[in-house]
Amino acid sequence: MKLDDKVALVTGSARGLGWEMIQAFAQEGARIVICDLSQLAVDEAAARLGLPTEKILGVEADVTSERDVSDLFSHTLEIFKRLDILVNNAGFAWPRGGPVNLELAETPLDVWLKVLDTNLTGTFLCSREALRIMRPQRGGSIINISSPQGKKGKLLRGPYCAAKFGVEGLMQVLALENAAYSIKVNCLDP
């Protein structure tokens, strides 16, 4: 298989696009780390995969928490001794439970911060921790999930567009700073 002996961590991987990616990595032979906000959701996702325990790690973590992110990557290194692929997938356009579809003039600061913290700050925190593992390995891949709205603004999506534009810029800087370590950094815009 293409990813035998590789370790892949996907944030926000208990459902949705993250779940699809984690399944694909597992099918290609990777050892995987499932990460999401709820341990119950993580455990259910891990059970659905049915992998041997030595091939899977499930961790509850909030990508906006520096401590949670640090613990997530420390635990990954402790169990698997390496990290080859990080997919920064955790994110959303509007917080669950609303409000949604607001013009910037009507967007509360707490909504703005929640969207930016999850989509952009979470990507930064996870990338920084991944680099602490990948740089000494002299290799790895960081894949940031962005959006077409990270290249062109969209009506009623101000915080999300700002965050995803930031993710695109962050990707460019990370790629430049880590090429000498043979670490590839890219964005996908599904």
Side-chain angles (χ1 to χ4, degrees), residues 26-45:
Q27 288 170 358
E28 290 299 327
R31 292 175 286 165
I32 60 168
V33 182
I34 297 175
C35 160
D36 218 299
L37 286 170
S38 155
Q39 189 63 50
L40 178 62
V42 166
D43 292 344
E44 289 173 351

Side-chain angles (χ1 to χ4, degrees), residues 78-137:
E78 176 187 324
I79 298 299
F80 292 130
K81 311 298 184 223
R82 63 181 300 109
L83 177 65
D84 299 287
I85 303 161
L86 165 64
V87 180
N88 286 306
N89 172 66
F92 49 81
W94 294 102
R96 285 203 175 114
V100 299
N101 299 330
L102 300 174
E103 290 185 0
L104 282 172
E106 300 166 357
T107 301
L109 179 59
D110 65 321
V111 170
W112 172 267
L113 292 173
K114 183 120 178 111
V115 174
L116 263 71
D117 281 350
T118 301
N119 289 282
L120 181 56
T121 303
T123 296
F124 158 71
L125 290 172
C126 290
S127 297
R128 185 181 68 182
E129 291 302 314
L131 290 171
R132 292 177 177 165
I133 299 170
M134 291 176 177
R135 279 181 165 196
Q137 290 174 178

